[in-house]
Amino acid sequence: MKWANAVSTHPSLELALREVVERVLTQLEAAPNLAIIFISSAFASEYSRVLPLLKGPLGGAHIIGCSGSGVIGRTGAGHLLEVEETAGISLTVACLPDVNIQGFHLSIEELPDLDSPPSEWTEIIGVSPADKPHFLLMADPFASGMNDLLQGLDFAYPESIKVGGLAGIESISRSCGLFCGQQLYRQGVVGVALSGNIVIDAIVAQGCRPIGPTFRVVEGDRNVVTKVAAQASQDEADAQTPLEALQELFQDLDETDRQLAQESLFIGLAQSSFKQALGQGDFLIRNLVGVDPKVGAIAIADRIRPGQRIQFHLRDAHTAKDELKTLLETYRLDNQTRVSPAGALLFACNGRGTNLFDLPSCDTQQFNQQLGPIPLGGFFCSGEIGPVGNTTFLHGFTSVFGICRELEQ
C-alpha cells in the first residue's frame, strides 16, 4: 500500500491540477487505483472541468471527492498546509493492492426506509457486509436525510468505519461539487467502499471538555430534558431541573469558565449505557439549543431518552488543542506494534482552523508532531462524519481523521 498527497494554491485550475498530479505521481512511482480530490469553492465555476482534466494523467484510478470551503495537504517542501477561504486543490492518490474499490452516488430521496432489511442497503452500495468494507462519504450540505443514511449504513454494515464530511458551497450560487468516477453531481452523497487488505482507524476530535458531574435524565421528551439527577442517585426525590443543576454548577466554575459558558456551552450525551467511568471520548457533543427559564428545561440538538447520562461541556481553542494532542498521542502509543499507517484523510469543520485557533494549520501540526510525515489530504467541511462508540454521527466543530493502513499479517 502506498499513498501520496500534494496541495496547490495556484489560482489557475489547469496549473493547480497539473502541479498536484505531477507531485503525487512522482511520489507514488506506480499507477494509482484511487484518487481523492478536494477543491476549494473559489473554483466553483470550473467544477465541470475537473474530472476531464484528471482523467488522462490519472489513468484508470477511481476518482472521488468534493468541494470545500478550504483544503488540506502537503506542500512541495513537505509541510502540512490548511488552505482557508482561498483557491486551493488537494489531491491524494493511493496504490491499494488487494483492495476492492466500489464507488457510488446515492440520492437521499431514494434511500431505503429505516425499517427495511439490511439487504436493501447493501444492494444500493453493491458490497456485501461479509467483505467488511470501510466508507469514505461526501455529501451535499443541504441533504436533509444524512442521519437516516448513517443509521442505515450502521445497520447494514455494523463492523465498518464511516468517515467523511459535507461539501462546501459557493456563496452566490449556493451549490457544491461532488465527484465520483467520471461524473460531477450537485446533490446527494458520493462515496467509496474499500474492502480487502485495508483498515481505516477513525479519530474524532470534538474539541470539548466536561465540566461538573454526570447527570441521569429522569424526565424528557424528544430533545427536551425537564428533570435530571446525579448519576449515582437512584432517588427520584433528588431530581432537579437541568437549569437548577446548571446554576449550581456555574457557582463552582472559575471566572474564565463562567465567561466561556456564556457562549460555548454544550451537552455531552453518553453513548454507552453500561460503562461506569465515563471519559472525554465517551460523549457525543451536541448543541444546547434552548432554555425555558419558567420550567427549567433545556433543549438539545438531538433526541434523548430517560435514563441516558449527560454532562455539560465547554469548547475553546486550548481545549481543542489538548484534546487532539491526547487522541493522536494515544493512537500512536496504542499502535506501535501494528502495521504503520500509509496515508490519512482529515475532515475538519470550517469553524476550526483560524476561526478557532490563534495560529493557522493547528490541527495538521498536531498530526505531524504525533504521527510524522504521513501523506495527509483533506478539506474544511460544513459538517463532519465519524463514529463515537459504535455509532456513526454527523458532527459540528469537529475534526475527523481517517487513518489508513494494511491489515495485520
mmCIF file with all atom_site columns, all heavy atoms in Angstrom, residues 204-209 266 280 285 313-321 323-324 327 352 356 396-399:
data_model
loop_
_atom_site.group_PDB
_atom_site.id
_atom_site.type_symbol
_atom_site.label_atom_id
_atom_site.label_alt_id
_atom_site.label_comp_id
_atom_site.label_asym_id
_atom_site.label_entity_id
_atom_site.label_seq_id
_atom_site.pdbx_PDB_ins_code
_atom_site.Cartn_x
_atom_site.Cartn_y
_atom_site.Cartn_z
_atom_site.occupancy
_atom_site.B_iso_or_equiv
_atom_site.pdbx_formal_charge
_atom_site.auth_seq_id
_atom_site.auth_comp_id
_atom_site.auth_asym_id
_atom_site.auth_atom_id
_atom_site.pdbx_PDB_model_num
ATOM 1   N N   . VAL A 1 204 ? -11.909 11.012 16.230 1.00 0.00 ? 204 VAL A N   1
ATOM 2   C CA  . VAL A 1 204 ? -12.918 12.077 16.207 1.00 0.00 ? 204 VAL A CA  1
ATOM 3   C C   . VAL A 1 204 ? -12.627 13.043 17.346 1.00 0.00 ? 204 VAL A C   1
ATOM 4   O O   . VAL A 1 204 ? -12.770 12.705 18.522 1.00 0.00 ? 204 VAL A O   1
ATOM 5   C CB  . VAL A 1 204 ? -14.337 11.483 16.340 1.00 0.00 ? 204 VAL A CB  1
ATOM 6   C CG1 . VAL A 1 204 ? -15.376 12.601 16.357 1.00 0.00 ? 204 VAL A CG1 1
ATOM 7   C CG2 . VAL A 1 204 ? -14.621 10.493 15.207 1.00 0.00 ? 204 VAL A CG2 1
ATOM 8   N N   . ALA A 1 205 ? -12.192 14.246 16.993 1.00 0.00 ? 205 ALA A N   1
ATOM 9   C CA  . ALA A 1 205 ? -11.851 15.275 17.977 1.00 0.00 ? 205 ALA A CA  1
ATOM 10  C C   . ALA A 1 205 ? -12.964 16.304 18.014 1.00 0.00 ? 205 ALA A C   1
ATOM 11  O O   . ALA A 1 205 ? -13.110 17.105 17.086 1.00 0.00 ? 205 ALA A O   1
ATOM 12  C CB  . ALA A 1 205 ? -10.516 15.927 17.623 1.00 0.00 ? 205 ALA A CB  1
ATOM 13  N N   . GLN A 1 206 ? -13.748 16.295 19.087 1.00 0.00 ? 206 GLN A N   1
ATOM 14  C CA  . GLN A 1 206 ? -14.915 17.177 19.183 1.00 0.00 ? 206 GLN A CA  1
ATOM 15  C C   . GLN A 1 206 ? -14.601 18.509 19.859 1.00 0.00 ? 206 GLN A C   1
ATOM 16  O O   . GLN A 1 206 ? -15.451 19.400 19.892 1.00 0.00 ? 206 GLN A O   1
ATOM 17  C CB  . GLN A 1 206 ? -16.047 16.458 19.926 1.00 0.00 ? 206 GLN A CB  1
ATOM 18  C CG  . GLN A 1 206 ? -16.495 15.175 19.225 1.00 0.00 ? 206 GLN A CG  1
ATOM 19  C CD  . GLN A 1 206 ? -17.641 14.496 19.954 1.00 0.00 ? 206 GLN A CD  1
ATOM 20  O OE1 . GLN A 1 206 ? -18.810 14.822 19.740 1.00 0.00 ? 206 GLN A OE1 1
ATOM 21  N NE2 . GLN A 1 206 ? -17.318 13.561 20.834 1.00 0.00 ? 206 GLN A NE2 1
ATOM 22  N N   . GLY A 1 207 ? -13.407 18.641 20.405 1.00 0.00 ? 207 GLY A N   1
ATOM 23  C CA  . GLY A 1 207 ? -12.953 19.944 20.891 1.00 0.00 ? 207 GLY A CA  1
ATOM 24  C C   . GLY A 1 207 ? -13.566 20.417 22.180 1.00 0.00 ? 207 GLY A C   1
ATOM 25  O O   . GLY A 1 207 ? -13.578 21.612 22.459 1.00 0.00 ? 207 GLY A O   1
ATOM 26  N N   . CYS A 1 208 ? -14.102 19.502 22.986 1.00 0.00 ? 208 CYS A N   1
ATOM 27  C CA  . CYS A 1 208 ? -14.776 19.900 24.221 1.00 0.00 ? 208 CYS A CA  1
ATOM 28  C C   . CYS A 1 208 ? -14.186 19.188 25.431 1.00 0.00 ? 208 CYS A C   1
ATOM 29  O O   . CYS A 1 208 ? -13.581 18.135 25.316 1.00 0.00 ? 208 CYS A O   1
ATOM 30  C CB  . CYS A 1 208 ? -16.267 19.579 24.138 1.00 0.00 ? 208 CYS A CB  1
ATOM 31  S SG  . CYS A 1 208 ? -17.225 20.711 23.116 1.00 0.00 ? 208 CYS A SG  1
ATOM 32  N N   . ARG A 1 209 ? -14.413 19.787 26.608 1.00 0.00 ? 209 ARG A N   1
ATOM 33  C CA  . ARG A 1 209 ? -14.040 19.149 27.875 1.00 0.00 ? 209 ARG A CA  1
ATOM 34  C C   . ARG A 1 209 ? -15.239 19.179 28.814 1.00 0.00 ? 209 ARG A C   1
ATOM 35  O O   . ARG A 1 209 ? -16.025 20.134 28.824 1.00 0.00 ? 209 ARG A O   1
ATOM 36  C CB  . ARG A 1 209 ? -12.846 19.850 28.506 1.00 0.00 ? 209 ARG A CB  1
ATOM 37  C CG  . ARG A 1 209 ? -13.052 21.326 28.786 1.00 0.00 ? 209 ARG A CG  1
ATOM 38  C CD  . ARG A 1 209 ? -11.791 21.945 29.369 1.00 0.00 ? 209 ARG A CD  1
ATOM 39  N NE  . ARG A 1 209 ? -11.834 23.400 29.308 1.00 0.00 ? 209 ARG A NE  1
ATOM 40  C CZ  . ARG A 1 209 ? -12.322 24.174 30.270 1.00 0.00 ? 209 ARG A CZ  1
ATOM 41  N NH1 . ARG A 1 209 ? -12.829 23.625 31.370 1.00 0.00 ? 209 ARG A NH1 1
ATOM 42  N NH2 . ARG A 1 209 ? -12.311 25.490 30.143 1.00 0.00 ? 209 ARG A NH2 1
ATOM 43  N N   . PHE A 1 266 ? -22.046 23.306 25.794 1.00 0.00 ? 266 PHE A N   1
ATOM 44  C CA  . PHE A 1 266 ? -22.594 22.199 25.009 1.00 0.00 ? 266 PHE A CA  1
ATOM 45  C C   . PHE A 1 266 ? -23.031 21.083 25.957 1.00 0.00 ? 266 PHE A C   1
ATOM 46  O O   . PHE A 1 266 ? -22.737 21.095 27.147 1.00 0.00 ? 266 PHE A O   1
ATOM 47  C CB  . PHE A 1 266 ? -21.547 21.664 24.025 1.00 0.00 ? 266 PHE A CB  1
ATOM 48  C CG  . PHE A 1 266 ? -21.120 22.677 22.990 1.00 0.00 ? 266 PHE A CG  1
ATOM 49  C CD1 . PHE A 1 266 ? -20.156 23.631 23.284 1.00 0.00 ? 266 PHE A CD1 1
ATOM 50  C CD2 . PHE A 1 266 ? -21.691 22.688 21.725 1.00 0.00 ? 266 PHE A CD2 1
ATOM 51  C CE1 . PHE A 1 266 ? -19.758 24.576 22.349 1.00 0.00 ? 266 PHE A CE1 1
ATOM 52  C CE2 . PHE A 1 266 ? -21.306 23.625 20.777 1.00 0.00 ? 266 PHE A CE2 1
ATOM 53  C CZ  . PHE A 1 266 ? -20.344 24.566 21.093 1.00 0.00 ? 266 PHE A CZ  1
ATOM 54  N N   . GLN A 1 280 ? -13.587 11.582 28.309 1.00 0.00 ? 280 GLN A N   1
ATOM 55  C CA  . GLN A 1 280 ? -13.858 12.623 27.324 1.00 0.00 ? 280 GLN A CA  1
ATOM 56  C C   . GLN A 1 280 ? -14.376 12.058 26.008 1.00 0.00 ? 280 GLN A C   1
ATOM 57  O O   . GLN A 1 280 ? -15.240 12.632 25.377 1.00 0.00 ? 280 GLN A O   1
ATOM 58  C CB  . GLN A 1 280 ? -12.577 13.422 27.075 1.00 0.00 ? 280 GLN A CB  1
ATOM 59  C CG  . GLN A 1 280 ? -12.802 14.757 26.386 1.00 0.00 ? 280 GLN A CG  1
ATOM 60  C CD  . GLN A 1 280 ? -11.589 15.652 26.510 1.00 0.00 ? 280 GLN A CD  1
ATOM 61  O OE1 . GLN A 1 280 ? -10.536 15.255 26.999 1.00 0.00 ? 280 GLN A OE1 1
ATOM 62  N NE2 . GLN A 1 280 ? -11.728 16.885 26.068 1.00 0.00 ? 280 GLN A NE2 1
ATOM 63  N N   . ILE A 1 285 ? -21.037 15.107 21.490 1.00 0.00 ? 285 ILE A N   1
ATOM 64  C CA  . ILE A 1 285 ? -21.271 16.515 21.809 1.00 0.00 ? 285 ILE A CA  1
ATOM 65  C C   . ILE A 1 285 ? -22.374 17.079 20.917 1.00 0.00 ? 285 ILE A C   1
ATOM 66  O O   . ILE A 1 285 ? -22.339 16.945 19.702 1.00 0.00 ? 285 ILE A O   1
ATOM 67  C CB  . ILE A 1 285 ? -19.982 17.334 21.632 1.00 0.00 ? 285 ILE A CB  1
ATOM 68  C CG1 . ILE A 1 285 ? -18.852 16.740 22.472 1.00 0.00 ? 285 ILE A CG1 1
ATOM 69  C CG2 . ILE A 1 285 ? -20.234 18.792 21.998 1.00 0.00 ? 285 ILE A CG2 1
ATOM 70  C CD1 . ILE A 1 285 ? -19.136 16.683 23.953 1.00 0.00 ? 285 ILE A CD1 1
ATOM 71  N N   . HIS A 1 313 ? -20.500 20.475 28.797 1.00 0.00 ? 313 HIS A N   1
ATOM 72  C CA  . HIS A 1 313 ? -19.151 20.591 28.244 1.00 0.00 ? 313 HIS A CA  1
ATOM 73  C C   . HIS A 1 313 ? -18.891 22.032 27.813 1.00 0.00 ? 313 HIS A C   1
ATOM 74  O O   . HIS A 1 313 ? -19.822 22.773 27.476 1.00 0.00 ? 313 HIS A O   1
ATOM 75  C CB  . HIS A 1 313 ? -18.994 19.680 27.014 1.00 0.00 ? 313 HIS A CB  1
ATOM 76  C CG  . HIS A 1 313 ? -18.779 18.232 27.345 1.00 0.00 ? 313 HIS A CG  1
ATOM 77  N ND1 . HIS A 1 313 ? -19.743 17.450 27.927 1.00 0.00 ? 313 HIS A ND1 1
ATOM 78  C CD2 . HIS A 1 313 ? -17.693 17.419 27.150 1.00 0.00 ? 313 HIS A CD2 1
ATOM 79  C CE1 . HIS A 1 313 ? -19.273 16.215 28.097 1.00 0.00 ? 313 HIS A CE1 1
ATOM 80  N NE2 . HIS A 1 313 ? -18.037 16.187 27.632 1.00 0.00 ? 313 HIS A NE2 1
ATOM 81  N N   . LEU A 1 314 ? -17.605 22.398 27.779 1.00 0.00 ? 314 LEU A N   1
ATOM 82  C CA  . LEU A 1 314 ? -17.165 23.674 27.246 1.00 0.00 ? 314 LEU A CA  1
ATOM 83  C C   . LEU A 1 314 ? -16.223 23.450 26.075 1.00 0.00 ? 314 LEU A C   1
ATOM 84  O O   . LEU A 1 314 ? -15.476 22.471 26.050 1.00 0.00 ? 314 LEU A O   1
ATOM 85  C CB  . LEU A 1 314 ? -16.435 24.492 28.324 1.00 0.00 ? 314 LEU A CB  1
ATOM 86  C CG  . LEU A 1 314 ? -17.258 24.954 29.530 1.00 0.00 ? 314 LEU A CG  1
ATOM 87  C CD1 . LEU A 1 314 ? -16.363 25.688 30.515 1.00 0.00 ? 314 LEU A CD1 1
ATOM 88  C CD2 . LEU A 1 314 ? -18.414 25.841 29.089 1.00 0.00 ? 314 LEU A CD2 1
ATOM 89  N N   . ARG A 1 315 ? -16.259 24.380 25.126 1.00 0.00 ? 315 ARG A N   1
ATOM 90  C CA  . ARG A 1 315 ? -15.362 24.301 23.965 1.00 0.00 ? 315 ARG A CA  1
ATOM 91  C C   . ARG A 1 315 ? -14.570 25.602 23.847 1.00 0.00 ? 315 ARG A C   1
ATOM 92  O O   . ARG A 1 315 ? -15.130 26.692 23.908 1.00 0.00 ? 315 ARG A O   1
ATOM 93  C CB  . ARG A 1 315 ? -16.150 24.059 22.674 1.00 0.00 ? 315 ARG A CB  1
ATOM 94  C CG  . ARG A 1 315 ? -15.287 24.111 21.424 1.00 0.00 ? 315 ARG A CG  1
ATOM 95  C CD  . ARG A 1 315 ? -16.096 23.911 20.156 1.00 0.00 ? 315 ARG A CD  1
ATOM 96  N NE  . ARG A 1 315 ? -16.408 22.507 19.948 1.00 0.00 ? 315 ARG A NE  1
ATOM 97  C CZ  . ARG A 1 315 ? -17.611 22.051 19.670 1.00 0.00 ? 315 ARG A CZ  1
ATOM 98  N NH1 . ARG A 1 315 ? -18.626 22.891 19.601 1.00 0.00 ? 315 ARG A NH1 1
ATOM 99  N NH2 . ARG A 1 315 ? -17.812 20.773 19.470 1.00 0.00 ? 315 ARG A NH2 1
ATOM 100 N N   . ASP A 1 316 ? -13.249 25.469 23.669 1.00 0.00 ? 316 ASP A N   1
ATOM 101 C CA  . ASP A 1 316 ? -12.397 26.610 23.347 1.00 0.00 ? 316 ASP A CA  1
ATOM 102 C C   . ASP A 1 316 ? -11.156 26.103 22.638 1.00 0.00 ? 316 ASP A C   1
ATOM 103 O O   . ASP A 1 316 ? -10.948 24.891 22.495 1.00 0.00 ? 316 ASP A O   1
ATOM 104 C CB  . ASP A 1 316 ? -12.052 27.431 24.593 1.00 0.00 ? 316 ASP A CB  1
ATOM 105 C CG  . ASP A 1 316 ? -11.245 26.645 25.630 1.00 0.00 ? 316 ASP A CG  1
ATOM 106 O OD1 . ASP A 1 316 ? -10.965 25.449 25.406 1.00 0.00 ? 316 ASP A OD1 1
ATOM 107 O OD2 . ASP A 1 316 ? -10.880 27.229 26.657 1.00 0.00 ? 316 ASP A OD2 1
ATOM 108 N N   . ALA A 1 317 ? -10.318 27.027 22.173 1.00 0.00 ? 317 ALA A N   1
ATOM 109 C CA  . ALA A 1 317 ? -9.144  26.650 21.382 1.00 0.00 ? 317 ALA A CA  1
ATOM 110 C C   . ALA A 1 317 ? -8.172  25.803 22.194 1.00 0.00 ? 317 ALA A C   1
ATOM 111 O O   . ALA A 1 317 ? -7.629  24.808 21.699 1.00 0.00 ? 317 ALA A O   1
ATOM 112 C CB  . ALA A 1 317 ? -8.446  27.912 20.860 1.00 0.00 ? 317 ALA A CB  1
ATOM 113 N N   . HIS A 1 318 ? -7.948  26.190 23.439 1.00 0.00 ? 318 HIS A N   1
ATOM 114 C CA  . HIS A 1 318 ? -6.992  25.448 24.270 1.00 0.00 ? 318 HIS A CA  1
ATOM 115 C C   . HIS A 1 318 ? -7.454  24.011 24.484 1.00 0.00 ? 318 HIS A C   1
ATOM 116 O O   . HIS A 1 318 ? -6.667  23.060 24.376 1.00 0.00 ? 318 HIS A O   1
ATOM 117 C CB  . HIS A 1 318 ? -6.814  26.161 25.614 1.00 0.00 ? 318 HIS A CB  1
ATOM 118 C CG  . HIS A 1 318 ? -5.836  25.497 26.536 1.00 0.00 ? 318 HIS A CG  1
ATOM 119 N ND1 . HIS A 1 318 ? -4.479  25.554 26.327 1.00 0.00 ? 318 HIS A ND1 1
ATOM 120 C CD2 . HIS A 1 318 ? -6.025  24.751 27.659 1.00 0.00 ? 318 HIS A CD2 1
ATOM 121 C CE1 . HIS A 1 318 ? -3.854  24.877 27.287 1.00 0.00 ? 318 HIS A CE1 1
ATOM 122 N NE2 . HIS A 1 318 ? -4.773  24.384 28.102 1.00 0.00 ? 318 HIS A NE2 1
ATOM 123 N N   . THR A 1 319 ? -8.742  23.853 24.775 1.00 0.00 ? 319 THR A N   1
ATOM 124 C CA  . THR A 1 319 ? -9.298  22.516 24.968 1.00 0.00 ? 319 THR A CA  1
ATOM 125 C C   . THR A 1 319 ? -9.177  21.686 23.692 1.00 0.00 ? 319 THR A C   1
ATOM 126 O O   . THR A 1 319 ? -8.811  20.507 23.733 1.00 0.00 ? 319 THR A O   1
ATOM 127 C CB  . THR A 1 319 ? -10.775 22.614 25.381 1.00 0.00 ? 319 THR A CB  1
ATOM 128 O OG1 . THR A 1 319 ? -10.856 23.240 26.654 1.00 0.00 ? 319 THR A OG1 1
ATOM 129 C CG2 . THR A 1 319 ? -11.420 21.239 25.450 1.00 0.00 ? 319 THR A CG2 1
ATOM 130 N N   . ALA A 1 320 ? -9.493  22.303 22.558 1.00 0.00 ? 320 ALA A N   1
ATOM 131 C CA  . ALA A 1 320 ? -9.432  21.580 21.279 1.00 0.00 ? 320 ALA A CA  1
ATOM 132 C C   . ALA A 1 320 ? -8.012  21.112 20.981 1.00 0.00 ? 320 ALA A C   1
ATOM 133 O O   . ALA A 1 320 ? -7.806  19.996 20.494 1.00 0.00 ? 320 ALA A O   1
ATOM 134 C CB  . ALA A 1 320 ? -9.954  22.466 20.153 1.00 0.00 ? 320 ALA A CB  1
ATOM 135 N N   . LYS A 1 321 ? -7.026  21.972 21.247 1.00 0.00 ? 321 LYS A N   1
ATOM 136 C CA  . LYS A 1 321 ? -5.628  21.580 21.031 1.00 0.00 ? 321 LYS A CA  1
ATOM 137 C C   . LYS A 1 321 ? -5.243  20.406 21.922 1.00 0.00 ? 321 LYS A C   1
ATOM 138 O O   . LYS A 1 321 ? -4.651  19.421 21.463 1.00 0.00 ? 321 LYS A O   1
ATOM 139 C CB  . LYS A 1 321 ? -4.700  22.766 21.322 1.00 0.00 ? 321 LYS A CB  1
ATOM 140 C CG  . LYS A 1 321 ? -4.710  23.858 20.286 1.00 0.00 ? 321 LYS A CG  1
ATOM 141 C CD  . LYS A 1 321 ? -3.750  24.971 20.703 1.00 0.00 ? 321 LYS A CD  1
ATOM 142 C CE  . LYS A 1 321 ? -3.769  26.134 19.730 1.00 0.00 ? 321 LYS A CE  1
ATOM 143 N NZ  . LYS A 1 321 ? -2.863  27.222 20.162 1.00 0.00 ? 321 LYS A NZ  1
ATOM 144 N N   . GLU A 1 323 ? -7.150  18.227 23.459 1.00 0.00 ? 323 GLU A N   1
ATOM 145 C CA  . GLU A 1 323 ? -7.881  17.003 23.157 1.00 0.00 ? 323 GLU A CA  1
ATOM 146 C C   . GLU A 1 323 ? -7.279  16.284 21.967 1.00 0.00 ? 323 GLU A C   1
ATOM 147 O O   . GLU A 1 323 ? -7.048  15.067 22.005 1.00 0.00 ? 323 GLU A O   1
ATOM 148 C CB  . GLU A 1 323 ? -9.351  17.312 22.886 1.00 0.00 ? 323 GLU A CB  1
ATOM 149 C CG  . GLU A 1 323 ? -10.168 16.050 22.609 1.00 0.00 ? 323 GLU A CG  1
ATOM 150 C CD  . GLU A 1 323 ? -11.394 16.299 21.758 1.00 0.00 ? 323 GLU A CD  1
ATOM 151 O OE1 . GLU A 1 323 ? -11.412 17.288 21.008 1.00 0.00 ? 323 GLU A OE1 1
ATOM 152 O OE2 . GLU A 1 323 ? -12.322 15.469 21.822 1.00 0.00 ? 323 GLU A OE2 1
ATOM 153 N N   . LEU A 1 324 ? -7.021  17.015 20.875 1.00 0.00 ? 324 LEU A N   1
ATOM 154 C CA  . LEU A 1 324 ? -6.473  16.375 19.681 1.00 0.00 ? 324 LEU A CA  1
ATOM 155 C C   . LEU A 1 324 ? -5.084  15.810 19.957 1.00 0.00 ? 324 LEU A C   1
ATOM 156 O O   . LEU A 1 324 ? -4.754  14.708 19.503 1.00 0.00 ? 324 LEU A O   1
ATOM 157 C CB  . LEU A 1 324 ? -6.426  17.362 18.516 1.00 0.00 ? 324 LEU A CB  1
ATOM 158 C CG  . LEU A 1 324 ? -5.899  16.789 17.197 1.00 0.00 ? 324 LEU A CG  1
ATOM 159 C CD1 . LEU A 1 324 ? -6.698  15.572 16.765 1.00 0.00 ? 324 LEU A CD1 1
ATOM 160 C CD2 . LEU A 1 324 ? -5.912  17.845 16.104 1.00 0.00 ? 324 LEU A CD2 1
ATOM 161 N N   . LEU A 1 327 ? -5.598  12.555 21.820 1.00 0.00 ? 327 LEU A N   1
ATOM 162 C CA  . LEU A 1 327 ? -6.136  11.499 20.961 1.00 0.00 ? 327 LEU A CA  1
ATOM 163 C C   . LEU A 1 327 ? -5.069  10.947 20.021 1.00 0.00 ? 327 LEU A C   1
ATOM 164 O O   . LEU A 1 327 ? -4.944  9.727  19.840 1.00 0.00 ? 327 LEU A O   1
ATOM 165 C CB  . LEU A 1 327 ? -7.322  12.031 20.161 1.00 0.00 ? 327 LEU A CB  1
ATOM 166 C CG  . LEU A 1 327 ? -8.606  12.329 20.943 1.00 0.00 ? 327 LEU A CG  1
ATOM 167 C CD1 . LEU A 1 327 ? -9.610  13.045 20.054 1.00 0.00 ? 327 LEU A CD1 1
ATOM 168 C CD2 . LEU A 1 327 ? -9.207  11.045 21.508 1.00 0.00 ? 327 LEU A CD2 1
ATOM 169 N N   . ARG A 1 352 ? -13.289 25.381 12.663 1.00 0.00 ? 352 ARG A N   1
ATOM 170 C CA  . ARG A 1 352 ? -11.983 25.217 13.304 1.00 0.00 ? 352 ARG A CA  1
ATOM 171 C C   . ARG A 1 352 ? -10.981 26.072 12.525 1.00 0.00 ? 352 ARG A C   1
ATOM 172 O O   . ARG A 1 352 ? -11.297 27.176 12.117 1.00 0.00 ? 352 ARG A O   1
ATOM 173 C CB  . ARG A 1 352 ? -11.612 23.724 13.354 1.00 0.00 ? 352 ARG A CB  1
ATOM 174 C CG  . ARG A 1 352 ? -12.464 22.954 14.369 1.00 0.00 ? 352 ARG A CG  1
ATOM 175 C CD  . ARG A 1 352 ? -12.175 21.471 14.381 1.00 0.00 ? 352 ARG A CD  1
ATOM 176 N NE  . ARG A 1 352 ? -10.916 21.115 14.993 1.00 0.00 ? 352 ARG A NE  1
ATOM 177 C CZ  . ARG A 1 352 ? -10.773 20.585 16.215 1.00 0.00 ? 352 ARG A CZ  1
ATOM 178 N NH1 . ARG A 1 352 ? -11.828 20.397 16.988 1.00 0.00 ? 352 ARG A NH1 1
ATOM 179 N NH2 . ARG A 1 352 ? -9.574  20.246 16.681 1.00 0.00 ? 352 ARG A NH2 1
ATOM 180 N N   . LEU A 1 356 ? -11.011 29.203 14.991 1.00 0.00 ? 356 LEU A N   1
ATOM 181 C CA  . LEU A 1 356 ? -10.961 28.745 16.384 1.00 0.00 ? 356 LEU A CA  1
ATOM 182 C C   . LEU A 1 356 ? -9.600  28.997 17.013 1.00 0.00 ? 356 LEU A C   1
ATOM 183 O O   . LEU A 1 356 ? -9.513  29.470 18.146 1.00 0.00 ? 356 LEU A O   1
ATOM 184 C CB  . LEU A 1 356 ? -11.300 27.252 16.461 1.00 0.00 ? 356 LEU A CB  1
ATOM 185 C CG  . LEU A 1 356 ? -11.226 26.604 17.845 1.00 0.00 ? 356 LEU A CG  1
ATOM 186 C CD1 . LEU A 1 356 ? -12.243 27.230 18.801 1.00 0.00 ? 356 LEU A CD1 1
ATOM 187 C CD2 . LEU A 1 356 ? -11.456 25.092 17.746 1.00 0.00 ? 356 LEU A CD2 1
ATOM 188 N N   . GLY A 1 396 ? -20.456 18.722 14.312 1.00 0.00 ? 396 GLY A N   1
ATOM 189 C CA  . GLY A 1 396 ? -20.088 20.092 14.021 1.00 0.00 ? 396 GLY A CA  1
ATOM 190 C C   . GLY A 1 396 ? -18.901 20.480 14.875 1.00 0.00 ? 396 GLY A C   1
ATOM 191 O O   . GLY A 1 396 ? -18.682 19.898 15.948 1.00 0.00 ? 396 GLY A O   1
ATOM 192 N N   . PHE A 1 397 ? -18.089 21.425 14.408 1.00 0.00 ? 397 PHE A N   1
ATOM 193 C CA  . PHE A 1 397 ? -16.910 21.909 15.131 1.00 0.00 ? 397 PHE A CA  1
ATOM 194 C C   . PHE A 1 397 ? -15.925 20.786 15.474 1.00 0.00 ? 397 PHE A C   1
ATOM 195 O O   . PHE A 1 397 ? -15.242 20.830 16.491 1.00 0.00 ? 397 PHE A O   1
ATOM 196 C CB  . PHE A 1 397 ? -17.321 22.648 16.423 1.00 0.00 ? 397 PHE A CB  1
ATOM 197 C CG  . PHE A 1 397 ? -18.138 23.876 16.181 1.00 0.00 ? 397 PHE A CG  1
ATOM 198 C CD1 . PHE A 1 397 ? -19.517 23.840 16.298 1.00 0.00 ? 397 PHE A CD1 1
ATOM 199 C CD2 . PHE A 1 397 ? -17.529 25.067 15.806 1.00 0.00 ? 397 PHE A CD2 1
ATOM 200 C CE1 . PHE A 1 397 ? -20.281 24.964 16.066 1.00 0.00 ? 397 PHE A CE1 1
ATOM 201 C CE2 . PHE A 1 397 ? -18.294 26.203 15.572 1.00 0.00 ? 397 PHE A CE2 1
ATOM 202 C CZ  . PHE A 1 397 ? -19.669 26.156 15.705 1.00 0.00 ? 397 PHE A CZ  1
ATOM 203 N N   . THR A 1 398 ? -15.863 19.793 14.599 1.00 0.00 ? 398 THR A N   1
ATOM 204 C CA  . THR A 1 398 ? -15.104 18.575 14.868 1.00 0.00 ? 398 THR A CA  1
ATOM 205 C C   . THR A 1 398 ? -14.057 18.357 13.782 1.00 0.00 ? 398 THR A C   1
ATOM 206 O O   . THR A 1 398 ? -14.242 18.782 12.649 1.00 0.00 ? 398 THR A O   1
ATOM 207 C CB  . THR A 1 398 ? -16.072 17.377 14.933 1.00 0.00 ? 398 THR A CB  1
ATOM 208 O OG1 . THR A 1 398 ? -16.950 17.556 16.039 1.00 0.00 ? 398 THR A OG1 1
ATOM 209 C CG2 . THR A 1 398 ? -15.364 16.054 15.078 1.00 0.00 ? 398 THR A CG2 1
ATOM 210 N N   . SER A 1 399 ? -12.964 17.697 14.140 1.00 0.00 ? 399 SER A N   1
ATOM 211 C CA  . SER A 1 399 ? -12.009 17.198 13.153 1.00 0.00 ? 399 SER A CA  1
ATOM 212 C C   . SER A 1 399 ? -12.030 15.673 13.196 1.00 0.00 ? 399 SER A C   1
ATOM 213 O O   . SER A 1 399 ? -11.821 15.076 14.261 1.00 0.00 ? 399 SER A O   1
ATOM 214 C CB  . SER A 1 399 ? -10.592 17.701 13.440 1.00 0.00 ? 399 SER A CB  1
ATOM 215 O OG  . SER A 1 399 ? -10.407 19.004 12.930 1.00 0.00 ? 399 SER A OG  1
#
